[in-house]
Amino acid sequence: MLGSKTSTSPEGVYILGKYGQKKIREIQEKEAAEYIAQARRQYHFESNQRTCNMTVLSMLPTLREALMQQLNSENLTALLKNRPSNKLEIWEDLKIISFTRSIVAVYSTCMLVVLLRVQLNIIGGYIYLDNAAVGKNGTTVLAPPDVQQQYLSSIQHLLGDGLTELITVIKQAVQKILGSVSLKHSLSLSDLEQKLKEIRNLVEQHKSSSWINKDGSKPLLCHYMMPDEETPLAVQACGLSPRDVTTIKLLNETRDMLESPDFSTVLNTCLNRGFSRLLDNMAEFFRPTEQDLQHGNSMNSLSSVSLPLAKIIPIVNGQIHSVCSETPTHFVQDLLMMEQVRDFAANVYEAFSTPQQLEK
């Protein structure tokens, strides 16, 4: 009847209460499961970052050896000890090779740090999903060990053909900026900083790559980390094994990450930090002498102490041992611990460790 009040029987209240308790319990269990899953994912992410750091450190000796082999300044310094007749010519070669080697060391170490962050967080995300899917019926392993190995071996481009091309481009830039500078010419730390900026501008504006982003722009230095062209496997896509198809998918996802504005921003931030640390390492050689201090010069300025270029060359030449060191130096530690690198790694891992990846 309209307007009449409905009453709930005690049995109805009891049933509603039991139903409410059940729903609350379900919500609590769901929240607990989500919390545990998130905690597991966070733990796996943290573990993955430690793996990234250890992988970078383990690869730096290989990078250093490749650089010292292709830019062998030790042979030149050995020749100079014998006081050859073409001493000036050897010094000029040493000037170019020393600066090239240290600058390539900064670039390639920064690239190694950021590229491995991308690769190991893509693969880390897939491994997390594989682990989460263990025991579920009908699930396909996203990243089996043989795929992981094949995919991660692509880093060899940076240590091989990519490095050789990078050396060529940087050597040309060093020759253009420093080739005409006399060995007797004195430079302050501030002057060195300016020369490095000029060399960086030439290197980063170099147009040798045919790699174009989807929006028509040129990605920052990406062709030194991955080949310009799509992998030859992708070109011959018919008749490929499932392993090859999965590897191509991973490589294409990596390519997409390298083309992103975030990647360019993080790499550029690393390069700025790397070159700043390089100058810091050399600053100790530009400390004022007692004579300078007695003359009352202002010693807080970067331009207060100058050295002849011939004296700066050995300082620059030795920097590779600090930059490409398997023991965590300030240089390497700075790059590995940068907040921007960590945030970027977290974003990559987040993108590839969500269940939606299974639907792609």
Side-chain angles (χ1 to χ4, degrees):
M1 187 186 300
L2 288 171
S4 66
K5 292 182 180 178
T6 57
S7 61
T8 305
S9 67
E11 293 84 357
V13 171
Y14 176 75
I15 291 167
L16 280 171
K18 294 293 281 182
Y19 176 76
Q21 287 175 357
K22 182 185 175 188
K23 292 304 288 181
I24 289 168
R25 194 161 54 248
E26 284 176 0
I27 290 167
Q28 287 173 335
E29 286 172 357
K30 185 183 177 187
E31 286 178 347
E34 286 175 354
Y35 175 80
I36 290 168
Q38 184 60 32
R40 279 179 182 156
R41 192 152 66 130
Q42 182 64 27
Y43 177 81
H44 187 257
F45 170 74
E46 298 291 350
S47 173
N48 202 43
Q49 302 326 296
R50 289 192 289 275
T51 302
C52 285
N53 292 346
M54 288 188 292
T55 306
V56 170
L57 291 172
S58 71
M59 295 187 78
L60 285 174
T62 306
L63 176 60
R64 185 177 66 236
E65 285 167 22
L67 276 172
M68 291 179 75
Q69 187 177 357
Q70 292 196 56
L71 294 163
N72 193 335
S73 60
E74 284 69 27
N75 278 352
L76 296 177
T77 51
L79 285 173
L80 286 172
K81 287 176 183 175
N82 297 326
R83 298 185 178 180
S85 56
N86 60 339
K87 185 172 78 170
L88 187 59
E89 185 184 331
I90 294 171
W91 265 105
E92 288 294 336
D93 288 344
L94 186 60
K95 173 179 72 176
I96 301 302
I97 284 178
S98 297
F99 274 91
T100 301
R101 192 164 81 169
S102 289
I103 293 168
V104 174
V106 174
Y107 270 105
S108 51
T109 301
C110 290
M111 289 178 195
L112 191 66
V113 167
V114 186
L115 178 57
L116 278 172
R117 275 292 188 281
V118 172
Q119 287 193 310
L120 288 172
N121 280 292
I122 288 177
I123 209 77
Y126 280 123
I127 290 170
Y128 174 80
L129 291 176
D130 283 338
N131 291 341
V134 168
K136 294 181 182 177
N137 293 329
T139 56
T140 305
V141 177
L142 298 169
D146 56 343
V147 167
Q148 294 176 38
Q149 189 173 358
Q150 189 179 36
Y151 166 61
L152 293 173
S153 69
S154 64
I155 195 77
Q156 293 304 318
H157 178 76
L158 173 57
L159 300 174
D161 293 345
L163 186 66
T164 301
E165 187 184 349
L166 181 63
I167 287 170
T168 301
V169 170
I170 290 177
K171 196 173 184 181
Q172 288 171 354
V174 169
Q175 183 67 54
K176 187 167 185 178
I177 301 301
L178 292 173
S180 60
V181 180
S182 165
L183 295 166
K184 295 177 182 178
H185 183 73
S186 288
L187 295 168
S188 66
L189 206 59
S190 182
D191 296 330
L192 269 183
E193 183 178 26
Q194 183 57 38
K195 296 294 182 189
L196 288 173
K197 282 180 183 175
E198 290 171 20
I199 291 165
R200 280 190 66 185
N201 284 338
L202 289 176
V203 171
E204 290 164 35
Q205 292 168 11
H206 191 73
K207 304 295 183 186
S208 67
S209 169
S210 60
W211 189 335
I212 303 290
N213 286 346
K214 293 180 180 71
D215 63 1
S217 63
K218 285 257 185 187
L220 179 65
L221 307 167
C222 288
H223 60 290
Y224 302 116
M225 290 172 271
M226 288 185 81
D228 281 1
E229 72 282 353
E230 296 292 337
T231 165
L233 291 173
V235 177
Q236 306 159 358
C238 52
L240 290 174
S241 70
R243 182 186 74 164
D244 292 336
V245 172
T246 307
T247 303
I248 289 165
K249 179 174 181 284
L250 288 168
L251 289 170
N252 286 336
E253 286 168 340
T254 305
R255 186 179 291 272
D256 288 343
M257 292 304 302
L258 265 59
E259 291 179 356
S260 70
D262 285 350
F263 180 87
S264 292
T265 301
V266 172
L267 178 56
N268 193 53
T269 305
C270 280
L271 288 169
N272 290 341
R273 179 69 63 87
F275 279 104
S276 175
R277 177 57 75 177
L278 181 71
L279 285 163
D280 288 346
N281 288 351
M282 293 192 286
E284 61 182 285
F285 297 97
F286 285 79
R287 294 192 187 284
T289 62
E290 286 293 326
Q291 190 178 8
D292 291 327
L293 291 170
Q294 286 170 5
H295 281 84
N297 293 338
S298 171
M299 289 306 151
N300 295 323
S301 167
L302 284 177
S303 56
S304 59
V305 177
S306 295
L307 294 174
L309 184 53
K311 286 194 174 181
I312 295 172
I313 290 169
I315 299 168
V316 173
N317 190 47
Q319 292 305 311
I320 189 170
H321 300 289
S322 169
V323 175
C324 299
S325 172
E326 65 273 28
T327 55
T329 59
H330 288 305
F331 182 94
V332 178
Q333 203 77 353
D334 266 8
L335 297 179
L336 294 177
M337 297 296 135
M338 279 178 67
E339 186 180 349
Q340 294 92 331
V341 171
R342 182 182 169 81
D343 290 346
F344 178 64
N347 290 338
V348 175
Y349 185 84
E350 178 79 19
F352 289 93
S353 64
T354 52
Q356 286 82 351
Q357 279 297 112
L358 293 166
E359 299 164 15
K360 288 186 181 179

